[in-house]
Amino acid sequence: MKTKNKKYLLLVLLVSLLTCARLFRPGYFSMQDDIHVLRLQQFDQCLKDGQIPCRYTASGGLGYGCPLYNYYSPLPYFVAEIFHLVGFSLINSLKILFILGHLLTGISMFLFASLYWGNLGGLLSSALFLFAPYRAIDGYVRGALAEFLGISLLPLIFYYLTQKKTKTCIIAISALLLTHNLTSLVTLPLIAIYVFLTNKYKIKSLFFLVVPFFLSAFFLLPAIFEKNLVTLPTMTQGYFDYRAHFTTLKQLFLDRSWGFGASLWGPVDDMSFQVGLPLWPLALLSLFFIYKQKKAKNKIILGLFSVTAIFALFLTHNKSTFIWTHLPFMAYFQF
């Protein structure tokens, strides 16, 4: 790696540390999904009981036991367990995992974005990604560890795809499948389109995407074919019905409020749904620089990400209800 690139990477690491500095304080921080310590303890017990891969938690389900890791992606807790086995407490093992998520976010976005925008553009993209309000909500409000790590892997996957590093890309996609199943479900179509565009429109280039499914089949197959054994429909009913949680344009683009509460019914919430300033104005400005790209392929690829971003924002608004209605599996995306 060039010395100049190393300097930029150092800056990225410093910016990444700014976003996770509070995690270096002693103790555990408050979050909505506050049962990670129990999940890790149960994962640790699984391994001690010789249950490999871990599927059934002995103390889950109000003490009756629960097949948590038959359906809940296990890789984050496997990584945290490594730190626990070398001597860190359960709490510190999880905090280390969150910190690694911040560092991975910064580095992976810099590596990918710099391929299209250069080092300075990569640094700016990385900083915007790190400080995006949604990232802060995932990490510090919801405490959605699996989703937080899954999103961190995405730029790395696109970087390896662009660099034609097939083996490492297979490992990264497998890690995504084992980290957060909903993030995988949302992004795999985009990954497939990206592979198709970056390989001169060759259908055969998509075949290597099959390999990660084989590597993660020990988790994916039971999760898919045994879902009838659990009460999955309750995850989309009542409070969890997506129709109660659409955002408004004001919440997305103008609202600057923050909160550590919940998403409530209707447009008044105790947590933020803002895209973030200066994130969305700079995103609009980037459309001009996409237009100025010299390579037609780069215009197409960056245009694809722009359209995806706009479409994703549209899906958060109630005008998109007809799409949600015609694609029932999307009801789980509200998580």
Side-chain angles (χ1 to χ4, degrees):
M1 182 178 290
K2 296 180 180 178
T3 304
K4 190 176 181 181
N5 290 10
K6 291 180 180 178
K7 291 179 180 178
Y8 276 97
L9 266 179
L10 179 60
L11 288 173
V12 168
L13 285 174
L14 291 174
V15 175
S16 303
L17 288 172
L18 287 176
T19 65
C20 61
R22 300 180 75 87
L23 293 174
F24 289 94
R25 295 179 176 183
Y28 204 48
F29 63 97
S30 176
M31 66 181 78
Q32 293 173 5
D33 195 0
D34 58 357
I35 58 174
H36 293 304
V37 175
L38 174 62
R39 288 172 179 164
L40 179 56
Q41 184 275 326
Q42 290 291 288
F43 192 91
D44 177 66
Q45 189 63 49
C46 269
L47 297 186
K48 290 178 179 177
D49 292 341
Q51 189 186 151
I52 302 173
C54 178
R55 296 193 184 280
Y56 199 83
T57 59
S59 301
L62 301 177
Y64 291 99
C66 175
L68 175 66
Y69 292 109
N70 213 47
Y71 307 95
Y72 196 88
S73 303
L75 186 59
Y77 299 98
F78 177 82
V79 177
E81 174 68 3
I82 294 173
F83 294 108
H84 181 55
L85 289 176
V86 299
F88 289 97
S89 68
L90 294 171
I91 289 176
N92 286 336
S93 297
L94 288 165
K95 289 174 72 176
I96 290 171
L97 194 56
F98 271 109
I99 291 169
L100 290 176
H102 285 273
L103 299 179
L104 177 61
T105 296
I107 294 172
S108 63
M109 180 53 85
F110 170 76
L111 291 173
F112 176 55
S114 62
L115 296 176
Y116 293 96
W117 305 112
N119 285 331
L120 189 59
L123 176 61
L124 176 61
S125 300
S126 179
L128 290 172
F129 191 36
L130 281 164
F131 284 99
Y134 188 82
R135 296 285 297 166
I137 289 170
D138 254 6
Y140 290 110
V141 179
R142 294 175 58 216
L145 176 61
E147 183 181 315
F148 182 78
L149 295 172
I151 293 175
S152 301
L153 284 167
L154 293 176
L156 195 64
I157 290 172
F158 287 113
Y159 171 74
Y160 287 141
L161 287 173
T162 310
Q163 296 293 83
K164 304 294 191 297
K165 296 183 178 181
T166 305
K167 293 181 181 179
T168 45
C169 186
I170 288 172
I171 293 172
I173 295 176
S174 301
L176 176 63
L177 291 169
L178 294 172
T179 296
H180 194 240
N181 42 22
L182 288 181
T183 300
S184 303
L185 187 62
V186 171
T187 57
L188 281 176
L190 180 62
I191 291 172
I193 294 172
Y194 189 82
V195 172
F196 183 65
L197 291 177
T198 54
N199 285 272
K200 298 181 179 179
Y201 313 105
K202 294 178 180 178
I203 294 293
K204 65 179 182 180
S205 63
L206 300 176
F207 283 112
F208 90 94
L209 293 177
V210 176
V211 179
F213 285 93
F214 284 104
L215 294 177
S216 52
F218 72 91
F219 165 71
L220 293 178
L221 293 182
I224 294 171
F225 292 106
E226 297 179 7
K227 65 179 184 294
N228 62 308
L229 302 178
V230 292
T231 54
L232 211 56
T234 59
M235 297 176 64
T236 60
Q237 298 172 357
Y239 171 80
F240 300 109
D241 190 324
Y242 66 87
R243 287 167 290 193
H245 302 283
F246 281 120
T247 59
T248 65
L249 294 178
K250 180 181 178 182
Q251 285 180 308
L252 287 172
F253 300 110
L254 301 178
D255 188 20
R256 298 287 291 154
S257 62
W258 193 257
F260 290 87
S263 170
L264 304 176
W265 291 269
V268 180
D269 299 281
D270 291 334
M271 63 189 296
S272 175
F273 293 100
Q274 59 180 293
V275 175
L277 289 170
L279 200 107
W280 67 262
L282 286 175
L284 287 176
L285 182 62
S286 72
L287 295 176
F288 169 76
F289 293 99
I290 292 174
Y291 174 76
K292 297 293 287 184
Q293 285 276 332
K294 294 180 179 180
K295 294 182 179 180
K297 186 175 75 171
N298 287 0
K299 286 184 179 181
I300 294 173
I301 290 172
L302 294 171
L304 169 67
F305 283 112
S306 300
V307 171
T308 301
I310 294 169
F311 181 65
L313 286 174
F314 175 65
L315 288 177
T316 70
H317 195 272
N318 61 15
K319 295 297 183 183
S320 68
T321 304
F322 70 96
I323 299 176
W324 293 77
T325 303
H326 284 85
L327 299 173
F329 67 88
M330 285 179 56
Y332 297 99
F333 288 177
Q334 57 89 5
F335 279 95

